[in-house]
Amino acid sequence: MGTCIIAVSIFIALTCYQLAPDASPFGNRMIPAIGSKSPGFTMQFLLIKQSGNQETGVLTKWVSGQKDTVQYLPIQAYHLKGDSIIYEQYIDEGLSKSGSIPLTQLATPNSITQKFYLGTDKFGRDMLSRLLIGTRVSLSVGLIAVLISLTIGISLGAMAGYFRGWVDELIMWLINVIWSIPTLLLVFAMTLLLGKGFWQVFMAVGLSMWVNVARLVRGQVMAVRELEYIEATRVLGFSNTRTIIKHILPNIMGPVLVIAASNFASAIVLEAGLSFLGVGVQPPQPSWGLMIKENYNFIITNNPALALAPGIAIMLLVLAFNLLGNGLRDALVVKD
């Protein structure tokens, strides 16, 4: 179940701009007139030509979306009159104003009707589109944070467990110092040092999560280094680096994969918390934590789905990685 949810999330992250109804960069098409609408809201739009934004290539669309080449004008009704269109522009519930526009200024087709399945936020942006694009942010943070934590944790843990002595004491002192600092406080300090932004939060989260990996790897290496096949590598004259990389690490990766899955879930929650507090991913880039921050006031009003949808998404993805970690533990950890 966990693997299926993760596989679907990866597919969404890779194709989010193809799946999203709003394929503009970051799903940031603002239409203030339709702000804070409930799920299932439907609106008709006139499509007005917009100069300056050209069609981009397939790769650019896949990576960062396509800037709108038309302007979306919300309307309640329209009819053709000569070479112009007369329309009733939607201003607010029960409020509209009349207007006209020459046919030459309209795109092809002239109008579309769009359904907002998860509603719109206070800026009139499609919540479903931003939720889909936000999947890429959460998975990216988890992946890069786990890679950073594994790289540092495995390196330091393997050195401490294999060489022992002063190397072990020095690395354990560093681990204990980092361990004594609350994780959120440490991430705050790193975020303030590195700055706010997309890439900075990757580094901050990754650099705060390596201590768990290092302690685990150290214990595993200390147990394995005393086994006969490791003694055989010393007798054969293999270098310490070769012994660690080729003979020790492949035999302790089971527990490391389990903690990596757990760290992936923790990184997603940590990133969401940082974005909620305003020190993580910055607007207009969509992040599930940032979406909750922007819409949590609606929980006690008439449109709680604006904050509940990203919250449920975080819950499902974290649950999936925890389930995957449990499955890896059962499959890979050797039991006596």
Side-chain angles (χ1 to χ4, degrees), residues 194-222:
L194 298 172
K196 301 177 183 179
F198 186 59
W199 295 105
Q200 288 86 338
V201 74
F202 289 174
M203 299 295 295
V205 174
L207 292 172
S208 68
M209 299 179 67
W210 63 267
V211 288
N212 289 328
V213 181
R215 287 173 67 95
L216 174 69
V217 170
R218 173 182 176 270
Q220 294 290 316
V221 171
M222 288 175 65

Side-chain angles (χ1 to χ4, degrees), residues 137-152:
V137 174
S138 293
L139 286 179
S140 298
V141 168
L143 177 62
I144 296 178
V146 165
L147 289 177
I148 293 173
S149 66
L150 287 181
T151 301
I152 298 175

Side-chain angles (χ1 to χ4, degrees), residues 227-238:
L227 298 180
E228 291 182 358
Y229 73 93
I230 301 301
E231 291 289 341
T233 63
R234 299 192 188 101
V235 172
L236 292 170
F238 293 167

Side-chain angles (χ1 to χ4, degrees), residues 156-172 217-226 234 240 244:
L156 294 181
M159 291 171 58
Y162 186 80
F163 293 110
R164 305 294 298 274
W166 68 268
V167 175
D168 185 27
E169 291 178 2
L170 179 63
I171 293 174
M172 283 306 298
V217 170
R218 173 182 176 270
Q220 294 290 316
V221 171
M222 288 175 65
V224 170
R225 75 187 294 273
E226 306 300 333
R234 299 192 188 101
N240 292 329
I244 292 172

Side-chain angles (χ1 to χ4, degrees), residues 25-304:
F26 305 140
N28 195 42
R29 182 187 298 147
M30 295 187 184
I31 309 175
I34 59 170
S36 304
K37 297 301 182 183
S38 299
F41 171 76
T42 301
M43 176 56 64
Q44 189 176 20
F45 298 96
L46 277 182
L47 303 182
I48 303 172
K49 292 178 183 177
Q50 192 170 260
S51 60
N53 295 335
Q54 304 296 323
E55 286 284 337
T56 56
V58 175
L59 182 61
T60 304
K61 287 182 181 179
W62 176 73
V63 173
S64 57
Q66 164 69 53
K67 291 184 178 180
D68 285 334
T69 57
V70 296
Q71 177 187 348
Y72 289 74
L73 182 69
I75 59 171
Q76 292 182 324
Y78 75 97
H79 64 273
L80 187 63
K81 185 177 181 181
D83 58 353
S84 299
I85 279 184
I86 309 299
Y87 60 83
E88 288 291 325
Q89 182 179 350
Y90 178 88
I91 304 297
D92 203 347
E93 200 70 39
L95 183 64
S96 64
K97 70 174 184 178
S98 299
S100 66
I101 188 169
L103 283 171
T104 55
Q105 294 185 19
L106 295 179
T108 303
N110 295 337
S111 68
I112 62 167
T113 299
Q114 182 176 346
K115 186 172 185 177
F116 297 88
Y117 292 96
L118 291 180
T120 60
D121 65 9
K122 61 184 178 182
F123 300 107
R125 298 177 294 193
D126 180 34
M127 283 292 293
L128 176 60
S129 299
R130 291 180 62 78
L131 193 71
L132 293 174
I133 298 169
T135 308
R136 181 178 289 185
V137 174
S138 293
L139 286 179
S140 298
V141 168
L143 177 62
I144 296 178
V146 165
L147 289 177
I148 293 173
S149 66
L150 287 181
T151 301
I152 298 175
I154 290 176
S155 300
L156 294 181
M159 291 171 58
Y162 186 80
F163 293 110
R164 305 294 298 274
W166 68 268
V167 175
D168 185 27
E169 291 178 2
L170 179 63
I171 293 174
M172 283 306 298
W173 174 83
L174 179 62
I175 288 173
N176 289 331
V177 169
I178 301 298
W179 195 277
S180 66
I181 304 173
T183 302
L184 201 57
L185 186 61
L186 181 63
V187 172
F188 276 151
M190 290 182 180
T191 303
L192 292 174
L193 179 65
L194 298 172
K196 301 177 183 179
F198 186 59
W199 295 105
Q200 288 86 338
V201 74
F202 289 174
M203 299 295 295
V205 174
L207 292 172
S208 68
M209 299 179 67
W210 63 267
V211 288
N212 289 328
V213 181
R215 287 173 67 95
L216 174 69
V217 170
R218 173 182 176 270
Q220 294 290 316
V221 171
M222 288 175 65
V224 170
R225 75 187 294 273
E226 306 300 333
L227 298 180
E228 291 182 358
Y229 73 93
I230 301 301
E231 291 289 341
T233 63
R234 299 192 188 101
V235 172
L236 292 170
F238 293 167
S239 66
N240 292 329
T241 303
R242 175 174 175 175
T243 299
I244 292 172
I245 294 176
K246 295 193 67 176
H247 301 283
I248 293 180
L249 292 183
N251 289 288
I252 66 169
M253 291 310 293
V256 174
L257 290 176
V258 174
I259 199 169
S262 174
N263 281 353
F264 211 117
S266 299
I268 292 171
V269 174
L270 202 52
E271 181 276 325
L274 289 173
S275 296
F276 181 83
L277 294 172
V279 294
V281 174
Q282 297 299 298
Q285 190 162 13
S287 162
W288 291 343
L290 187 60
M291 291 169 68
I292 295 174
K293 176 190 177 183
E294 292 173 344
N295 300 297
Y296 74 94
N297 287 330
F298 293 101
I299 291 177
I300 57 174
T301 59
N302 62 343
N303 198 0

